[in-house]
Amino acid sequence: MLGSLAKWLRILGYDTTYERDKKDDEILKLAIEEGRVLLTRDKGLARSAEDNALYIESDDIDEQLRQVVSRYRLVFNEGFTRCASCGGDLMRVSRE
């Protein structure tokens, strides 16, 4: 549901995981164990996560990003950008 949002949060430099093949209870357990905020379009999951979740209101990626950035006061720092695919740290390489 939120794969594009996860990608953009990584680009902004935030450690973001995206779990699409796990059940809701597994996702919630993982978020709690890792101290993560759960972003979801599932109202029931957001309710069960209580303060550890944010229900994402829109299907539009621009609005989703605005909601998360506004709610958590996120900032972009080019030095902390992560890989958009896996979330790993980026490193400079020579052109060669």
Side-chain angles (χ1 to χ4, degrees):
M1 274 189 251
L2 298 174
S4 293
L5 179 59
K7 176 183 81 168
W8 281 103
L9 289 171
R10 289 174 184 146
I11 290 169
L12 287 173
Y14 293 91
D15 180 17
T16 306
T17 62
Y18 179 63
E19 303 291 345
R20 65 175 159 222
D21 297 325
K22 293 190 178 180
K23 295 181 181 180
D24 287 357
D25 58 334
E26 293 174 300
I27 293 170
L28 181 54
K29 181 181 176 196
L30 188 61
I32 291 169
E33 286 174 354
E34 295 183 0
R36 295 179 181 276
V37 172
L38 178 61
L39 305 177
T40 182
R41 293 267 309 131
D42 181 324
K43 288 182 182 179
L45 181 56
R47 275 192 298 272
S48 62
E50 299 173 358
D51 292 337
N52 293 332
L54 176 64
Y55 173 71
I56 302 298
E57 299 168 6
S58 177
D59 285 326
D60 179 76
I61 182 58
D62 292 331
E63 300 218 4
Q64 291 173 352
L65 200 52
R66 269 197 256 345
Q67 181 185 1
V68 175
V69 166
S70 173
R71 171 66 174 83
Y72 296 105
R73 301 178 205 263
L74 304 182
V75 295
F76 174 63
N77 183 330
E78 188 175 331
F80 293 111
T81 296
R82 295 176 171 269
C83 173
S85 296
C86 72
D89 294 327
L90 298 179
M91 59 184 180
R92 293 193 184 276
V93 296
S94 67
R95 290 182 189 246
E96 294 78 44

